[in-house]
């Protein structure tokens, strides 16, 4: 690419034209690449001066001056899209460079985004956040044959609504949307969150779809790892999804920043179908962790909020976070708390998150249990009250070992969603419990004695 860069610099000095754009909003530019936007074309070369192939061309787009209605505070976003099935677009690739302080950067690749969803009619590149100090950018389109028509450059300045600052917490959106049959009162609360009005979502989907959620899918944004205003990052993702990918709304149901702040995602409330899981979204809830977790570790604050959110939804929809089942839409046997990469070929949610999903599942289960039960003796003053489970973990059966003189009269087994399990056989004489017909997982054993005193103990069936 060295020869291409040198030629481009010479042309830029000799012909200092800037591309013009028809703005769709004061802080958004959508530039359609036509012949009028082209600065030059020549055979594309690999680094070292070797021609890529005999028909591959590098088309330089005229430098684009960055100017929005409002001042760019931290960054603006860059992404490119083009219609699916566009002629001569099978081998498209893109590079870009930035100019700030009157100095051009090196050319950078703008990778193709391979994870578009069924509601999109376009192919896209990934989104890049460009530093606010950048004043001009330039794009190279590398293509086979003639330059395809319909390629669009998308630039966006994420300006938050006035008087919102960075992020404020508001009320529960989980009560919105139709009440599906599986919904019930859940003692695990939805954590406080930053609502769509605060981070500036301009509009919702006009006709959102709903479905029973069976699987909880964790993502990462694969974007920046630091920011002074994460609400702007969320707004930038919304714009990329809506105005570049052409979704009706942001793809994810929720987003979480490294400080542990939760953001309301796709509009419509509980059980609304997103656009995030390998074109098989029905039956899923998608949560995006903001950052690139191929590069850095997720924060404890972020993972704690994730566990609290998933505990609410697991409890809300009777999902056991420790087990797996067939996801009907994809026909894949998936953990109920899974990663994006479990559905298709992608690094998402990043290895540093994916390897922590087992501990996330355990934390979710623990949180649900804490919401439903206090594990231990209900009255701590009863020093003579002693009850143990042997063995624990158990398989087909277990027995209770109790304090001398203590008589257990009643026993129930609950799953981690607080539902009483049927089919448990309890012999009050031998204190033997048969439970071989229950699914494997974690449960709570709740007992009453002859004096109507209660206790709750955890047991794991393997």
């Amino acid at each position: 690419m060295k020869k291409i860069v040198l030629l481009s610099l010479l042309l830029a000095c000799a012909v200092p034209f800037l591309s013009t754009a028809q703005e769709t909003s004061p802080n958004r530019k959508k530039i359609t690449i036509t012949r009028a936007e082209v600065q030059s074309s020549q055979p594309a070369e690999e680094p070292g001066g070797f021609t890529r192939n005999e028909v591959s061309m590098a088309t330089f787009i005229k430098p684009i001056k960055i100017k929005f209605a409002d001042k760019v505070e931290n960054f603006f976003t860059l992404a490119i899209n083009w219609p699916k099935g566009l002629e001569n677009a099978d081998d498209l690739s893109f590079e870009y460079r930035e100019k700030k302080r009157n100095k051009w950067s090196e050319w950078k690749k703008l990778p193709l985004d391979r994870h578009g969803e069924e509601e999109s009619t376009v192919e896209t590149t990934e989104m890049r956040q460009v530093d606010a100090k950048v004043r001009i950018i330039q794009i190279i389109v590398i293509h086979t044959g003639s330059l395809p028509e319909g390629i669009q450059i998308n630039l966006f300045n994420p300006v938050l609504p006035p008087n919102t600052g960075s992020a404020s917490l508001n009320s529960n959106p989980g009560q919105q949307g139709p009440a599906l049959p599986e919904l019930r009162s859940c003692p695990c609360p939805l954590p406080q969150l930053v609502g769509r009005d605060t981070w500036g979502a301009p509009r919702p989907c006009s006709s959102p779809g709903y479905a029973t959620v069976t699987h909880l899918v964790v993502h990462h944004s694969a974007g920046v790892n630091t920011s002074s205003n994460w609400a702007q990052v969320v707004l930038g993702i919304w714009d990329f999804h809506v105005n570049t990918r052409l979704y009706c709304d942001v793809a994810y149901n929720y987003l979480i920043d490294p400080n542990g702040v939760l953001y309301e995602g796709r509009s419509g409330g509980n059980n609304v179908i997103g656009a995030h899981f390998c074109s098989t979204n029905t039956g899923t809830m998608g949560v995006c962790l903001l950052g690139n977790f191929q590069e850095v570790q997720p924060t404890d604050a972020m993972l704690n909020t994730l566990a609290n959110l998933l505990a609410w939804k697991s409890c809300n929809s009777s999902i056991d976070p420790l087990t797996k089942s067939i996801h009907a839409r994809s026909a894949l046997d998936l953990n109920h708390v899974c990663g994006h990469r479990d559905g298709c070929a992608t690094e998402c949610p990043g290895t540093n998150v994916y390897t922590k999903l087992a501990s996330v599942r355990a934390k979710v289960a623990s949180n649900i249990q804490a919401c439903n039960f206090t594990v231990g003796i209900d009255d701590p003053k009863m020093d003579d009250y002693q009850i143990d489970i042997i063995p624990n973990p158990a398989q087909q059966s277990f027995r209770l070992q109790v304090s001398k003189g203590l008589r257990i009269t009643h026993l129930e087994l609950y799953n981690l969603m607080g539902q009483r399990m049927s089919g448990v056989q309890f012999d009050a004489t031998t204190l033997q419990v048969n439970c071989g017909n229950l699914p494997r997982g974690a449960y709570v054993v709740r007992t009453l004695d002859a004096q109507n005193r209660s206790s709750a103990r955890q047991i794991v069936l393997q």
Side-chain angles (χ1 to χ4, degrees):
M1 186 61 73
K2 292 180 180 177
K3 292 183 179 179
I4 294 179
V5 173
L6 178 60
L7 177 60
S8 178
L9 287 171
L10 292 173
L11 287 169
C13 293
V15 189
F17 298 119
L18 299 179
S19 177
T20 57
Q22 182 178 359
E23 297 183 9
T24 55
S25 80
N27 285 297
R28 182 179 298 111
K29 293 175 181 277
K30 187 178 285 286
I31 304 164
T32 301
I33 297 178
T34 65
R35 290 185 179 182
E37 310 297 330
V38 173
Q39 184 185 72
S40 66
S41 294
Q42 67 178 68
E45 295 179 354
E46 297 284 4
F50 298 99
T51 303
R52 297 185 180 207
N53 61 61
E54 59 184 15
V55 293
S56 185
M57 297 293 295
T59 295
F60 292 82
I61 307 307
K62 294 175 183 177
I64 302 168
K65 185 175 182 180
I66 303 304
K67 186 176 182 180
F68 298 101
D70 292 292
K71 179 182 178 182
V72 179
E73 292 185 3
N74 298 300
F75 64 90
F76 64 91
T77 65
L78 163 67
I80 298 173
N81 67 355
W82 59 98
K84 288 181 178 178
L86 186 65
E87 187 176 358
N88 296 329
D90 291 342
D91 298 316
L92 278 178
S93 62
F94 301 88
E95 297 181 17
Y96 73 104
R97 61 176 182 161
E98 310 160 346
K99 189 174 186 179
K100 59 181 177 181
R101 301 187 184 93
N102 293 318
K103 184 178 180 180
W104 284 107
S105 70
E106 297 295 322
W107 289 99
K108 306 174 185 181
K109 291 187 181 297
L110 191 56
L112 303 187
D113 185 348
R114 300 296 188 184
H115 304 295
E117 295 290 322
E118 66 262 31
E119 68 177 73
S120 177
T121 59
V122 296
E123 306 285 357
T124 76
T125 66
E126 295 179 358
M127 180 187 70
R128 288 292 180 264
Q129 293 180 8
V130 183
D131 187 81
K133 296 183 178 64
V134 170
R135 296 292 178 258
I136 299 173
I137 64 169
Q138 188 174 21
I139 306 291
I140 296 177
V141 183
I142 300 169
H143 55 95
T144 300
S146 60
L147 179 67
E149 298 180 358
I151 300 174
Q152 292 186 321
I153 301 169
N154 297 270
L155 305 171
F156 177 63
N157 177 23
V159 177
L160 297 178
N163 303 319
T164 61
S166 57
S168 59
L169 302 177
N170 74 353
S171 59
N172 178 353
Q175 305 305 318
Q176 303 170 16
L180 296 182
E182 89 283 12
L183 298 186
R184 64 180 182 81
S185 177
C186 175
C188 292
L190 174 66
Q192 284 190 307
L193 49 71
V194 176
R196 289 168 57 89
D197 290 345
T198 298
W199 61 257
R203 59 180 172 82
C205 291
S206 59
S207 300
Y210 293 86
T212 299
V213 172
T214 57
H215 290 77
L216 311 173
V217 185
V218 180
H219 300 260
H220 73 162
S221 64
V224 296
N225 296 312
T226 59
S227 176
S228 60
N229 194 324
W230 287 104
Q232 284 187 318
V233 175
V234 173
L235 181 56
I237 293 172
W238 177 91
D239 181 79
F240 174 58
H241 288 178
V242 171
N243 291 299
T244 298
R245 283 182 173 172
L246 304 186
Y247 298 169
C248 70
D249 200 348
V250 66
Y252 310 113
N253 298 94
Y254 298 94
L255 306 93
I256 303 173
D257 74 24
N259 300 313
V261 177
L262 177 65
Y263 298 83
E264 180 185 9
R266 179 162 287 214
S267 63
N270 199 10
N271 294 307
V272 68
I273 300 173
H276 58 90
F277 191 53
C278 314
S279 297
T280 57
N281 299 291
T282 302
T284 68
M285 183 184 88
V287 184
C288 179
L289 306 183
L290 299 178
N292 188 331
F293 300 107
Q294 286 295 109
E295 300 174 352
V296 300
Q297 293 290 335
T299 65
D300 290 342
M302 171 180 279
L303 293 178
N304 286 337
T305 298
L306 175 65
N308 291 337
L309 174 66
L310 299 188
W312 162 74
K313 187 55 186 168
S314 296
C315 180
N316 175 269
S317 292
S318 299
I319 299 168
D320 186 342
L322 298 178
T323 62
K324 62 193 306 186
S325 67
I326 299 296
H327 172 233
R329 181 67 178 82
S330 67
L332 296 173
D333 189 15
L334 300 173
N335 285 302
H336 291 148
V337 176
C338 61
H340 185 184
R341 65 173 64 177
D342 292 319
C344 53
T346 173
E347 292 182 336
C348 184
T351 299
N352 293 328
V353 165
Y354 191 77
T355 55
K356 291 178 173 60
L357 288 184
S359 61
V360 169
R361 295 180 194 110
K363 175 66 172 172
V364 171
S366 176
N367 287 359
I368 296 171
Q369 180 176 293
C371 294
N372 282 292
F373 300 98
T374 300
V375 177
I377 302 168
D378 286 354
D379 188 345
K381 296 179 181 179
M382 299 176 183
D383 296 332
D384 61 335
Y385 196 106
Q386 180 65 41
I387 180 170
D388 294 304
I389 296 172
I390 300 175
N392 190 6
Q395 294 183 348
Q396 301 297 315
S397 65
F398 61 90
R399 65 182 177 86
L400 302 181
Q401 181 173 292
V402 301
S403 307
K404 184 178 180 179
L406 182 64
R407 186 165 66 90
I408 301 298
T409 60
H410 187 72
L411 179 144
E412 293 178 333
L413 213 63
Y414 292 82
N415 66 15
L416 294 185
M417 275 59 70
Q419 298 169 314
R420 186 167 64 86
M421 308 304 295
S422 61
V424 179
Q425 297 178 341
F426 172 60
D427 187 325
T429 302
T430 64
L431 301 183
Q432 189 77 15
V433 181
N434 294 319
C435 52
N437 60 332
L438 296 182
R440 305 299 88 179
Y443 294 89
V444 171
V445 179
R446 194 165 181 84
T447 62
L448 286 176
D449 71 356
Q451 299 178 47
N452 210 33
R453 295 179 297 183
S454 66
S455 77
R457 293 287 188 273
Q458 180 176 323
I459 185 170
V460 175
L461 301 182
Q462 293 183 335

